[in-house]
Amino acid sequence: MSIDSTTTSTAQLPLVRIKPRRAQPFFGRHPWVFAGAIQIVEGDPAPGDEIILASNEGQFIGRGIYNPHSNIRVRMYGWDQETPLDRELWSRRLDEAIDLRRLLFPDASSSSAYRVVNSEADGLSGLTVDRYGDWLAVQFTSLALACRREEIISLLREKLKPRGIWLRTEKGIREAEGLELEDGLLAGEEPERTMFIEENGVSFGIDLRQGQKTGFYCDQRDNRAAIARYCHGQKVLDLFCYSGGFSLAAVKLGGAKSCLGIDSSATAIELAKANAELNGIGDRTRFEQGAVFETLEKFQQNQELFDVVILDPPKMVRHLKGIDKAIRGYHSLNRLAVDVLKPGGILVTCSCTGHVSREMFAQILADVAQRSHRPIQVLEARGAAPDHPVSTYCPESEYLKCFICRVL
C-alpha cells in the first residue's frame, strides 16, 4: 500500500525510506531499523518523534519512533497506516501482555515474582516490567518509550494498581540510546530494601533497588525446577550463582548432598547465604566470592570433581561485533566445567547473550566434546519461562538458552 499524502494521520509525519532491497525484514515486522538500512530521512524528526517507515518506492511499512543517537535508528511499534502511536495503542499492548500473565499466574500473590512486559516480544520494544509482589520494577532500554514514560507509568498504575513502581537502569544505555536515567521511585511507595518472594516452594530475599537486573532472574524459574531432578544425593557446583537460585533448587527441591556457589559479587554471596538460611539448608550449601575462571582452574589443578556443574554467566557481549569474543568465552568456560565433572556427570550450561543463537551454542558444546574427548549428550534444550515469550517477528528475543547435558 502506497502512502496516501492526504491521510490526516500520516500527512504531517516525517518519512524514513529504506534502501533498495533492504525492506523485507520490516515488511516481516522486525522492530529494529538500523542506521545502515536507511536511505534518507525526509523531514526533521527530533529524538522520540513518531515517523512513517516506507520502502524505497514509497510503499507504507509501518509507524516507528526515531532516535538519531542510536544505531537502532527507528523502533517499530505499529503496522497500520491509520493507527497512531498514542495512549490507546500502548494501553492495548499492555492489556495483551497482562492477559498472558494472568493466564500463567492465576493465583499470584504478594510473594509472586514474574515478568509482566517483555519488550519486543510484547510489542513494546525497549520496555521491561517485572512484578515482585505488590511492586513493579521497570526498565526503559529505548529512548522511544522512555520519552513516553509518564503515559506508560500512568497506564501501569491504572491496570495493575501496584503499591509502587521503581525504575531500574541498564548498563550502557546512555551510550546505546542517548538516555539519561537514574534508578529511583517513579510512583507510589518505595519498596523495602529486602523483599521476599516464593518460587516453586523456595523462598528468596531480593533487592529490587540495587540487585542485578531488576532484582531477580525470573526467566530461569522453570530451569531451576528442571535441574532439581538431576541433583539427588549429588555434589553440585553452581557458578555465577548470584542470590543462590540454582543452588537452592538443587538442594531444597532436588535433595543434593551439597552445593558450592561461586560469584564475583560480595553482595550476591551475602544474599545467597541469607537465602540458604531462610530455607533451612545452610548446612548443605556453601557460598564463596571468587572469579569463576580462576576457581575452575584451581579445581582442575587439584583434580576436584563434581557430579553436577551449573554455568549461568552474565551476557558476554552487547554488540554483534563482539560475537567471536563471546564464542571463545563460552568455549573456555564450558571446557573447564567439563574438566571438573565426574564421568556421567550433569552439565547445566546457559547463555543469555542474544547474539549467540541456539545453533551456535550447540556448536560450542560440540566443539568442547571433540576437544575434551568427552561425549556430551543433550538431555534437555530449554529457554526462558513462558512469562518471557519470544516474538516470531524478532528472533533476537529468544536470548536465553539452557542446555542440560550428560558428560561421559
Side-chain angles (χ1 to χ4, degrees):
M1 177 175 61
S2 297
I3 296 171
D4 183 355
S5 60
T6 64
T7 301
T8 56
S9 61
T10 61
Q12 305 303 317
L13 295 178
L15 184 69
V16 176
R17 291 182 187 265
I18 298 299
K19 291 177 179 178
R21 297 181 296 278
R22 299 289 293 274
Q24 190 56 46
F26 313 115
F27 281 117
R29 299 196 174 190
H30 197 289
W32 302 338
V33 182
F34 287 94
I38 294 175
Q39 182 182 46
I40 192 170
V41 178
E42 300 175 9
D44 188 24
D49 278 358
E50 182 178 347
I51 60 89
I52 295 298
L53 190 73
S55 69
N56 176 58
E57 297 86 1
Q59 187 174 8
F60 175 84
I61 297 175
R63 290 173 175 258
I65 295 174
Y66 187 73
N67 183 3
H69 305 304
S70 174
N71 192 35
I72 303 178
R73 197 57 50 89
V74 177
R75 289 182 187 256
M76 300 299 295
Y77 298 96
W79 311 96
D80 180 0
Q81 191 166 341
E82 300 300 323
T83 305
L85 307 185
D86 58 10
R87 184 184 178 92
E88 184 179 345
L89 178 72
W90 311 132
S91 179
R92 187 165 62 251
R93 294 282 167 83
L94 287 173
D95 284 341
E96 291 168 354
I98 292 166
D99 285 348
L100 170 63
R101 280 64 182 191
R102 286 179 174 155
L103 175 67
L104 294 172
F105 305 100
D107 301 318
S109 69
S110 59
S111 62
S112 299
Y114 55 90
R115 178 148 294 182
V116 179
V117 178
N118 196 38
S119 195
E120 287 79 16
D122 284 305
L124 292 163
S125 179
L127 175 66
T128 297
V129 182
D130 287 335
R131 181 152 208 164
Y132 298 110
D134 298 324
W135 274 266
L136 300 180
V138 173
Q139 279 189 327
F140 291 101
T141 56
S142 71
L143 178 141
L145 295 187
C147 288
R148 292 155 175 79
R149 59 185 175 274
E150 289 187 9
E151 198 164 53
I152 289 169
I153 295 306
S154 170
L155 287 167
L156 288 171
R157 296 187 77 181
E158 175 188 312
K159 296 173 186 298
L160 297 173
K161 297 178 173 51
R163 285 180 61 183
I165 301 177
W166 189 266
L167 175 67
R168 293 299 308 269
T169 54
E170 186 172 283
K171 182 180 179 182
I173 197 62
R174 178 183 300 175
E175 295 77 12
E177 287 285 310
L179 267 178
E180 297 286 344
L181 296 174
E182 293 184 1
D183 291 13
L185 188 67
L186 291 175
E189 304 172 29
E190 290 191 3
E192 296 292 331
R193 187 56 187 268
T194 301
M195 301 173 62
F196 294 93
I197 62 169
E198 185 171 312
E199 174 190 280
N200 298 319
V202 181
S203 299
F204 292 94
I206 65 166
D207 185 350
L208 185 155
R209 296 191 194 184
Q210 294 186 344
Q212 294 179 21
K213 298 298 261 186
T214 63
F216 194 66
Y217 291 88
C218 296
D219 53 358
Q220 293 279 26
R221 179 191 309 105
D222 295 351
N223 297 330
R224 285 188 281 265
I227 64 103
R229 62 175 168 269
Y230 299 95
C231 294
H232 185 73
Q234 306 286 53
K235 178 183 177 183
V236 178
L237 175 63
D238 181 11
L239 301 165
F240 307 98
C241 67
Y242 183 43
S243 58
F246 279 108
S247 299
L248 270 60
V251 175
K252 186 170 183 179
L253 300 181
K257 179 174 63 177
S258 67
C259 184
L260 169 61
I262 305 291
D263 199 282
S264 61
S265 167
T267 303
I269 290 299
E270 290 307 310
L271 190 54
K273 290 177 179 177
N275 283 334
E277 293 299 328
L278 180 65
N279 286 275
I281 54 174
D283 58 330
R284 287 187 286 159
T285 56
R286 192 168 92 251
F287 295 98
E288 296 179 359
Q289 183 184 5
V292 166
F293 279 94
E294 293 174 5
T295 299
L296 280 170
E297 288 170 350
K298 181 185 70 175
F299 289 148
Q300 183 188 50
Q301 292 166 4
N302 296 339
Q303 297 184 330
E304 183 170 357
L305 301 179
F306 296 84
D307 301 300
V308 179
V309 175
I310 301 166
L311 295 173
D312 186 19
K315 186 184 295 184
M316 290 276 189
V317 292
R318 296 180 181 275
H319 304 287
L320 190 58
K321 63 184 179 182
I323 193 67
D324 290 340
K325 179 182 176 182
I327 289 172
R328 289 194 298 272
Y330 282 122
H331 187 281
S332 298
L333 190 59
N334 282 275
R335 174 62 191 271
L336 285 168
V338 164
D339 288 343
V340 301
L341 264 175
K342 294 177 182 177
I346 298 296
L347 172 66
V348 182
T349 181
C350 305
S351 165
C352 63
T353 303
H355 293 301
V356 175
S357 69
R358 186 169 292 272
E359 293 74 21
M360 292 164 67
F361 199 51
Q363 185 59 52
I364 290 168
L365 292 178
D367 292 342
V368 168
Q370 184 176 13
R371 297 194 181 197
S372 65
H373 305 290
R374 301 275 305 268
I376 296 177
Q377 300 171 317
V378 176
L379 308 180
E380 300 186 40
R382 307 179 61 87
D387 53 327
H388 294 66
V390 174
S391 169
T392 56
Y393 299 135
C394 183
E396 296 88 343
S397 60
E398 188 186 13
Y399 66 96
L400 182 62
K401 287 74 62 178
C402 176
F403 289 0
I404 302 177
C405 309
R406 182 172 176 242
V407 181
L408 301 174

